[in-house]
Amino acid sequence: MLKLNVKNETSRLRAVVLGTAKSNGPTPSIEDAYDPKSLEHIKAGTYPVEADMVKEMEAVAAVFEKYDVKVFRPEIIKDCNQIFTRDIAFVIDDKFVKANILPDREEEFTAIEHVWTQVPRENRIKLPEHCHIEGGDVMLYNDHIFIGTYRGDDYADYIIARTNMEAVEAMQELFPHKKIKSFDLRKSNTNPRENALHLDCCFQPVGKGKAILHKNGFLVEEEYNWLLNFFEKENVFEIDKEEMYHMNSNIFSISEDVVISEKGFKRLNAWLRNQGITVEEVPYAEIAKQEGLLRCSTLPLIRD
């Protein structure tokens, strides 16, 4: 049995589910695009090819091996995009929560059943169907859980609105000992520079008490300011619209002192190193074309 333990984003990682790009399937049609960035690349003929994405993910697997992290991979489903494991489930403390994702993606969860069944039954959680939530919107910070959501009445009009307030309320009931705070995120079906698909597209804690933040990702300025004050301004690395578009906030921490980051994130990586953090650089720019990066394609199971 797996003894799950995840309380934050930065404690030393011991076990993780890393997605897979194998048998990713053909380039989707314009109608089948789930997000504006994929749509942009489908239209431009620059949508990533499987061989390149497999190579990028293997670079991440190699970093995990270097740091002696146990890696689980999804079983391969033919012609299915299984890169973004963070969407389909997440761990809080010792609980494994199955996310309620877009119905089209339900089969992705079946590919990690071999992990799910290693968790004691009482620690496996399935939310009611009306509670929409994806792991990219769930950010852990010890006794806090930060959740990205969309509160607009037009929620149903946005394929990129993935977490609703019903799910936020359900999480508060499930984790009464945690302080849960939700953030209303900016959504656009058509403009990737104006779309925070998940909370980790505009915010992530890193290192010791530091964070990466993008102001425009938040619809309510007070909620952005709350985070700025919570981490204190001098501890925050503010990314601009272009850096948000390239997913600079979506790096992944192996520990407080080690992160995996995209090699093209020059300004961010320099800042991280200035904070005394080791930056393991990998190529991930092809996967980024699907509006997801390193945090999206990892599902931590055990941290110290």
Side-chain angles (χ1 to χ4, degrees), residues 25-186:
T27 298
S29 65
I30 284 170
E31 300 73 46
D32 290 336
Y34 291 131
D35 64 86
K37 198 167 175 189
S38 293
L39 180 65
E40 183 180 89
H41 287 287
I42 293 166
K43 285 179 172 173
T46 51
Y47 192 81
V49 299
E50 184 179 307
D52 292 340
M53 293 192 291
V54 168
K55 211 178 291 176
E56 289 184 343
M57 298 201 82
E58 292 322 305
V60 177
V63 176
F64 285 142
E65 196 176 326
K66 176 179 172 181
Y67 287 92
D68 201 24
V69 175
K70 182 168 176 52
V71 177
F72 295 87
R73 305 298 290 264
E75 287 171 3
I76 291 168
I77 300 169
K78 190 172 167 10
D79 292 340
C80 176
N81 186 335
Q82 295 175 267
I83 292 169
F84 300 122
T85 51
R86 182 77 63 155
D87 292 353
I88 61 177
F90 50 92
V91 174
I92 299 177
D93 296 343
D94 58 355
K95 302 285 186 278
F96 199 171
V97 184
K98 178 185 186 289
N100 278 346
I101 51 177
L102 297 171
D104 295 4
R105 297 185 55 190
E106 197 58 45
E107 66 175 346
E108 284 178 59
F109 188 80
T110 62
I112 61 162
E113 285 275 353
H114 60 292
V115 180
W116 173 257
T117 53
Q118 288 183 60
V119 176
R121 198 173 291 275
E122 65 273 17
N123 288 345
R124 300 181 214 161
I125 293 171
K126 290 184 179 180
L127 294 171
E129 219 166 282
H130 65 279
C131 298
H132 302 169
I133 193 163
E134 291 187 353
D137 276 324
V138 180
M139 196 71 72
L140 308 183
Y141 197 79
N142 303 319
D143 58 347
H144 285 79
I145 304 177
F146 303 130
I147 302 179
T149 185
Y150 181 65
R151 302 191 194 113
D153 294 337
D154 53 353
Y155 177 94
D157 298 339
Y158 287 101
I159 195 169
I160 39 48
R162 302 290 174 81
T163 299
N164 60 14
M165 285 306 292
E166 288 88 337
V168 175
E169 286 153 22
M171 293 288 285
Q172 187 65 82
E173 284 172 30
L174 279 168
F175 300 98
H177 56 295
K178 300 272 191 186
K179 297 175 189 135
I180 292 189
K181 183 158 179 66
S182 69
F183 299 88
D184 205 9
L185 301 181
R186 188 176 304 283

Side-chain angles (χ1 to χ4, degrees), residues 229-244:
N229 295 331
F230 183 85
F231 286 93
E232 298 177 356
K233 198 170 183 180
E234 64 273 19
N235 295 320
V236 170
F237 183 82
E238 187 77 47
I239 58 174
D240 63 28
K241 195 173 278 196
E242 204 55 31
E243 288 169 322
M244 191 280 297

